[in-house]
Amino acid sequence: MAAGSNGGCCDGLTGEVNTHRNLVESLAQRPPIQKALSAKIDDFQFNQLFNSSSLADRARLLSISSPHASSWLSVVLSEGLGLHLNPDQFQVAIKWWLGLDTSGGSLCSLCPDTVLLMSRHCARSIRPSCLHMLAHLSVKVEAGNNLTPDHSHTRPADVLVQNWSRGRPFDICVTSPLNTLTLSEAGGCAGAAAQAGEVRKHSANDDKCGDLGWFCVPLVTETYGAWGPEAKACFSQLASRLSIRLQKPKSVILHELYGRLNTCLVRCVATAILTTGVQQGDPLGPLLFSLVLHGLILKIAEDDMCGELLFNKWYLDDGVLAGTSLSVRAALDVISSLGPSLGLYINFAKCEVFGKAELSAFPSEITKRYHTPQLEILGAPIGNEEFCNNFVINKQSSVSFLLQQLQGLENPQLALALLRKCAAFCKMTHISRVTPPTLIKSSLSEFDDSIHHCFTECLALNLSPQSSGWKQACLSLSRGGLGLRSVAVHSTAAYLGSVSSSSPDLASSHYVIDALNLFNLQVSAEDTVSIPLPTKSHFQHDLSQRIENCQFHALYNSGSLADRARLLSISSAHASSWLQVVPSPRQGCDMATSEMQWGIKWWLGLPLTLELGVCAYCPDKALDAHHAVTCKFGGDVVARHNALRNAIFDFCKRALLNPKLEAGAGLGHERRLTRPADILIPSWSNGDKPAAIDVSITSPLKSNILSEAGVVAGAATRQTEERKHTCNDTICSELGWKCVPLVVETFGAWGRTAGLFFGELASRLAAQSHSSKTTMLNNI
């Protein structure tokens, strides 16, 4: 009984297993149910989208749903294999694939019914991928050129495969399903454009190929990646051959082939779209836009309904219209009716209308205001004094974060450069030019205080806003300052310069009169300006120079003789170049924190606190800044001289002048201490003697020249040049050399001979590096 019971249980288990096996086998023989159901959902969604689309969208949908058309989306990204698109290309390609706007309305000037696509470029770009896949075959590129006189422009083969049954020329062609010749058919039949392209290629090339014993194989693809029947058959046969050769499945080879070809195709299409029309950043863009807009503005001015329009001013796509409500509304109608044909559309959501009259005639999307306007146009405040000052204060708050970050920099040289170029006067130039200075004077003064605070924190200086040091810092670099111009002071020059260049008819406005009176209080009597304002170019620069001349002379007249000599020296040409360089350790243009702090104090004439009361080498000399930079003992003067000499020597080597260091040392017993040339240049100028460069550093604060240096700029360099010529001219003449003394003052003012030498050196360097002379002179 027990055995019989066990046998019955085993028979029942076996039957259940067989039932499950049969179920699994039956399911395996059926297509996957989930995939089949998903395919039905996709078909339903596709048909809905297809039926609701235009003819062009239908053609696009049929083309992109063709086999292998989407292979560019399934490839593994690889720049080495050419299976990549850059971000701009990929973004445009996705928009183009989904039927979104990519051309911005740009049409081919020769084919106004189609978007400009470089089909021939696409075909030529696909060819390298074909050649890679045909690498094991005997192929030729561009076969059949200039076959016969009557076929002088014939090229029936992009790629000729010589050992493919008979010789087969592959003629690669890219066509578009949106072409007007095939659009009606392509919108109802997938691949219609590719098939039409094959027929056209056979008609053009069959006879020519037959004469040559070739068999024409047109490889035609649509721009969306749908290949023609002959191309598919060719690629299938090619994949079979490669599968045997590479020991890979045929499906893998096909996936790689279509992936490479269609990625290349899509990249070319995206590039064609991206390069159609004027691109972002193109300097021609604003000009071309202005030319188009100009005609529309003239239409507004000529329209009878706009006759009561009092104001019609535009800055590119931002315009201001003023007049009666009827005239303004008529001007909007002109833009709305004529603009679209020019590609110009009004964004009513960004428009505002002001007036006390009834404004219901204007579109509802426009913001309407019935009170006195307080508004911002093109980044400029228009309103009363309180509104304008608040606007500037808000602007200042956006700059305060930048100033805080500058204060946190550990490199004061970099902090000062960024403060001058990115955070000071430049931040308020636009507001100063378009807003009357009397309306924003208090807020601009607050901005100047924030710049002063940032400067003192960055350089760790105790400098009050009323001190002569800060007043000098507010001068431009060419006048011996640090380029931190006061916005409150120079706003008058900016505003008057703007009025003079753009709206001289507004010169009688009380805002202009007030700005003019304020400006005349800031300059000397001979530099005052009156109505009418001159309309010359660079008027703002001219007015700012007049203000700085007055400020410089005020500092000069109130300073001591040493301060006057210092101011004349630092305002010489190129003296402030050390403040303009990019801090670069590689180029030797960087300064340590302590060096920058002491250099700024010395530049501004601030007291320098030294630990020692007297010089360690000169007990009878007080250790002040002047003695520290001129003391001949201790090696500092020699080290400074050698550093300058070596820098000049390096520039001469870059100019291929074959320079020599320390030429002429130890010429004889009586001249054992003579060294007439720090640098000897054998061929300085055509037919001239070798140039003996003698580098020398002098100070305008020396007692024997101070009285003259405090009155005449460059007196110290002239005196040293004369002394050098007296000492070295005879010796150099005996050696057949020409003495060239390069003298520089301790504040950076170079002598006249040095200026001429560096000008010639910059010309030679410019010729070697293909740069401008000005650029090389600034580098020197």
Side-chain angles (χ1 to χ4, degrees):
M1 292 295 293
S5 299
N6 288 337
C9 290
C10 290
D11 291 341
L13 180 61
T14 303
E16 186 177 349
V17 170
N18 290 333
T19 303
H20 281 288
R21 182 184 296 115
N22 294 333
L23 178 61
V24 171
E25 290 177 354
S26 64
L27 290 176
Q29 294 173 359
R30 300 176 184 176
I33 297 176
Q34 179 181 349
K35 183 177 181 180
L37 294 177
S38 294
K40 291 184 178 181
I41 295 175
D42 285 343
D43 289 341
F44 177 76
Q45 292 175 330
F46 180 87
N47 290 331
Q48 274 192 324
L49 189 62
F50 182 84
N51 295 329
S52 62
S53 300
S54 64
L55 187 60
D57 281 333
R58 292 184 179 185
R60 175 181 58 84
L61 289 172
L62 289 176
S63 183
I64 64 178
S65 60
S66 299
H68 305 294
S70 60
S71 57
W72 67 279
L73 289 169
S74 58
V75 296
V76 178
L77 300 181
S78 172
E79 187 172 352
L81 295 176
L83 302 177
H84 74 289
L85 284 82
N86 65 41
D88 291 336
Q89 291 172 341
F90 186 77
Q91 185 179 20
V92 169
I94 290 297
K95 290 182 178 180
W96 165 75
W97 189 259
L98 298 178
L100 305 178
D101 181 27
T102 57
S103 63
S106 299
L107 300 179
C108 175
S109 58
L110 302 179
C111 312
D113 57 335
T114 58
V115 176
L116 176 62
L117 291 176
M118 297 184 292
S119 298
R120 189 167 188 79
H121 175 67
C122 294
R124 288 182 175 176
S125 299
I126 292 173
R127 189 172 63 197
S129 296
C130 289
L131 290 175
H132 176 79
M133 305 306 291
L134 296 168
H136 68 294
L137 300 172
S138 177
V139 297
K140 290 184 178 180
V141 180
E142 301 284 1
N145 274 326
N146 302 325
L147 295 173
T148 58
D150 55 328
H151 292 161
S152 57
H153 299 289
T154 298
R155 183 189 42 76
D158 287 318
V159 181
L160 178 65
V161 183
Q162 293 179 317
N163 57 341
W164 187 303
S165 60
R166 286 194 297 165
R168 293 200 174 192
F170 291 164
D171 193 359
I172 304 171
C173 176
V174 180
T175 186
S176 173
L178 307 184
N179 193 305
T180 53
L181 299 177
T182 58
L183 178 58
S184 59
E185 187 177 355
C189 178
Q195 294 178 27
E198 289 181 351
V199 172
R200 187 175 69 254
K201 284 295 181 180
H202 277 298
S203 299
N205 294 331
D206 277 354
D207 292 340
K208 303 168 189 175
C209 291
D211 295 340
L212 297 168
W214 296 349
F215 185 78
C216 179
V217 182
L219 305 184
V220 182
T221 178
E222 297 178 0
T223 50
Y224 289 98
W227 290 84
E230 294 196 45
K232 293 177 184 178
C234 174
F235 295 153
S236 177
Q237 187 176 355
L238 177 61
S240 298
R241 295 193 179 196
L242 286 173
S243 176
I244 298 172
R245 180 181 179 85
L246 303 177
Q247 298 297 313
K248 288 184 179 181
K250 178 181 177 180
S251 59
V252 174
I253 300 294
L254 273 177
H255 179 74
E256 179 184 350
L257 174 59
Y258 282 111
R260 294 190 64 170
L261 293 176
N262 283 3
T263 300
C264 183
L265 173 67
V266 171
R267 185 189 304 116
C268 294
V269 172
T271 301
I273 295 174
L274 285 170
T275 54
T276 299
V278 180
Q279 303 301 303
Q280 180 72 27
D282 193 327
L284 279 178
L287 174 61
L288 296 177
F289 182 87
S290 299
L291 291 175
V292 174
L293 181 65
H294 182 68
L296 188 60
I297 296 174
L298 293 180
K299 290 292 184 181
I300 296 174
E302 296 169 358
D303 192 276
D304 294 335
M305 297 296 295
C306 303
E308 297 182 355
L309 203 62
L310 303 177
F311 197 78
N312 181 19
K313 298 290 185 180
W314 293 76
Y315 180 79
L316 294 178
D317 59 337
D318 291 297
V320 179
L321 303 171
T324 63
S325 58
L326 292 177
S327 60
V328 174
R329 184 69 180 89
L332 292 180
D333 291 339
V334 172
I335 299 174
S336 299
S337 60
L338 301 180
S341 63
L342 302 173
L344 304 176
Y345 300 86
I346 299 179
N347 187 353
F348 289 113
K350 297 177 65 175
C351 297
E352 292 181 307
V353 59
F354 305 89
K356 298 180 180 180
E358 180 60 40
L359 303 179
S360 59
F362 291 91
S364 58
E365 301 91 340
I366 296 181
T367 303
K368 301 176 178 63
R369 297 185 183 182
Y370 293 91
H371 54 79
T372 302
Q374 307 281 353
L375 69 151
E376 171 195 352
I377 293 181
L378 296 176
I382 295 179
N384 56 27
E385 183 175 352
E386 179 183 2
F387 176 80
C388 294
N389 274 313
N390 289 335
F391 182 89
V392 176
I393 291 173
N394 292 333
K395 176 76 172 179
Q396 179 181 343
S397 63
S398 65
V399 182
S400 60
F401 175 76
L402 174 59
L403 298 180
Q404 292 174 2
Q405 297 301 310
L406 292 180
Q407 295 174 35
L409 289 179
E410 297 181 357
N411 186 339
Q413 183 186 14
L414 179 60
L416 178 59
L418 292 175
L419 178 63
R420 180 178 66 252
K421 296 179 179 179
C422 305
F425 185 83
C426 59
K427 285 292 184 182
M428 293 294 171
T429 301
H430 177 64
I431 293 179
S432 300
R433 283 181 60 85
V434 298
T435 311
T438 53
L439 296 181
I440 54 176
K441 186 175 181 180
S442 60
S443 55
L444 292 182
S445 297
E446 293 181 13
F447 181 79
D448 288 337
D449 292 339
S450 65
I451 298 298
H452 167 263
H453 175 74
C454 180
F455 169 74
T456 54
E457 290 295 322
C458 290
L459 276 299
L461 299 177
N462 184 16
L463 197 64
S464 67
Q466 291 76 33
S467 64
S468 60
W470 176 246
K471 292 178 180 178
Q472 179 186 333
C474 292
L475 295 175
S476 63
L477 294 175
S478 62
R479 300 299 286 174
L482 299 179
L484 302 176
R485 281 181 171 176
S486 167
V487 185
V489 172
H490 287 269
S491 60
T492 55
Y495 183 71
L496 293 175
S498 176
V499 171
S500 170
S501 61
S502 60
S503 303
D505 53 323
L506 299 179
S508 58
S509 167
H510 70 91
Y511 288 121
V512 178
I513 299 299
D514 292 342
L516 193 63
N517 293 333
L518 185 60
F519 170 81
N520 288 336
L521 293 175
Q522 299 170 331
V523 299
S524 58
E526 60 271 16
D527 286 335
T528 56
V529 179
S530 59
I531 301 295
L533 296 175
T535 56
K536 61 181 181 181
S537 59
H538 308 295
F539 187 48
Q540 176 183 344
H541 178 70
D542 178 57
L543 295 179
S544 289
Q545 281 190 325
R546 298 186 190 190
I547 293 175
E548 287 200 336
N549 288 339
C550 184
Q551 293 174 330
F552 180 85
H553 288 302
L555 282 174
Y556 179 85
N557 294 329
S558 62
S560 63
L561 188 59
D563 283 333
R564 293 182 179 185
R566 175 180 58 83
L567 288 172
L568 290 177
S569 181
I570 63 179
S571 59
S572 300
H574 304 293
S576 61
S577 56
W578 68 282
L579 290 166
Q580 298 173 309
V581 297
V582 177
S584 172
R586 184 176 181 180
Q587 296 181 353
C589 296
D590 63 317
M591 299 180 69
T593 300
S594 58
E595 292 173 341
M596 188 66 183
Q597 290 172 343
W598 282 78
I600 291 296
K601 288 182 178 180
W602 171 70
W603 186 260
L604 298 179
L606 303 180
L608 299 174
T609 304
L610 302 177
E611 295 180 359
L612 302 176
V614 295
C615 177
Y617 305 98
C618 309
D620 58 332
K621 297 288 186 180
L623 188 57
D624 56 8
H626 166 63
H627 184 75
V629 299
T630 56
C631 180
K632 297 182 179 180
F633 303 98
D636 290 340
V637 170
V638 175
R640 182 180 61 194
H641 169 275
N642 291 343
L644 274 179
R645 178 203 62 193
N646 293 341
I648 297 172
F649 178 78
D650 289 340
F651 279 113
C652 293
K653 286 179 62 178
R654 288 171 54 187
L656 305 180
L657 295 176
N658 192 24
K660 297 180 180 179
L661 278 177
E662 302 291 350
L667 293 174
H669 176 71
E670 71 281 1
R671 294 173 182 170
R672 62 184 180 275
L673 300 179
T674 300
R675 182 189 39 74
D678 288 317
I679 303 170
L680 181 66
I681 301 177
S683 55
W684 174 237
S685 58
N686 294 331
D688 204 350
K689 301 177 181 179
I693 309 301
D694 190 0
V695 181
S696 181
I697 304 171
T698 187
S699 173
L701 304 184
K702 287 183 177 180
S703 57
N704 62 341
I705 195 62
L706 179 59
S707 58
E708 186 179 356
V711 179
V712 181
T717 56
R718 282 194 295 272
Q719 183 192 67
T720 305
E721 283 182 355
E722 293 173 359
R723 179 168 54 83
K724 286 292 182 181
H725 278 297
T726 301
C727 295
N728 294 332
D729 276 357
T730 303
I731 302 173
C732 289
S733 179
E734 294 175 0
L735 296 170
W737 298 348
K738 178 182 179 181
C739 179
V740 181
L742 304 185
V743 183
V744 60
E745 297 179 0
T746 51
F747 290 101
W750 290 86
R752 179 179 178 277
T753 305
L756 297 174
F757 174 82
F758 290 142
E760 178 66 22
L761 181 60
S763 298
R764 301 203 176 196
L765 286 170
Q768 292 291 334
S769 60
H770 303 289
S771 301
S772 66
K773 178 181 177 180
T774 303
T775 300
M776 299 311 304
L777 195 58
N778 290 334
N779 290 342
I780 295 174

